[in-house]
């Protein structure tokens, strides 16, 4: 699936910003890269609303530590 309209990127960007607001953390380049990749994956799987995407990001990645590359993921547990 392609992400080629400004609105597509706006949805993902707003969802990532909501994650930052929810956890009240300062901007972090590594976390942002991780969260943007996660948002793209959600978008590719049909998630099209800021609210839904933000809710999933907030629930899956609890705090800044969860965005680190070596953080446990569902794929590393299986």
């Amino acid at each position: 699936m392609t992400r080629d309209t400004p609105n597509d990127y706006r949805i993902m960007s707003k969802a990532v910003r909501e994650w930052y607001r929810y956890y009240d953390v300062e901007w972090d380049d590594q976390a942002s890269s991780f969260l943007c990749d996660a948002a793209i994956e959600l978008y590719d799987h049909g998630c099209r609303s800021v609210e839904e995407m933000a809710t999933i990001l907030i629930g899956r990645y609890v705090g800044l530590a969860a965005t680190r590359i070596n953080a446990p993921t569902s794929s590393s547990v299986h």
Side-chain angles (χ1 to χ4, degrees):
M1 188 165 296
T2 61
R3 298 165 299 280
D4 55 5
T5 69
N7 193 51
D8 297 336
Y9 292 109
R10 194 172 302 119
I11 289 168
M12 292 179 270
S13 176
K14 285 182 177 182
V16 170
R17 286 194 313 250
E18 287 299 317
W19 182 93
Y20 274 98
R21 279 191 204 108
Y22 183 85
Y23 287 109
D24 192 28
V25 295
E26 294 293 321
W27 179 266
D28 180 271
D29 287 338
Q30 184 178 357
S32 295
S33 178
F34 181 91
L35 291 166
C36 286
D37 287 347
I40 289 168
E41 185 175 328
L42 290 170
Y43 187 91
D44 286 346
H45 285 95
C47 186
R48 295 292 186 278
S49 80
V50 173
E51 295 79 14
E52 180 184 14
M53 190 176 291
T55 299
I56 293 170
L57 291 174
I58 289 165
R60 279 190 190 164
Y61 308 108
V62 180
L64 195 57
T67 65
R68 298 304 183 216
I69 300 300
N70 62 352
T73 64
S74 60
S75 61
S76 67
V77 173
H78 297 284

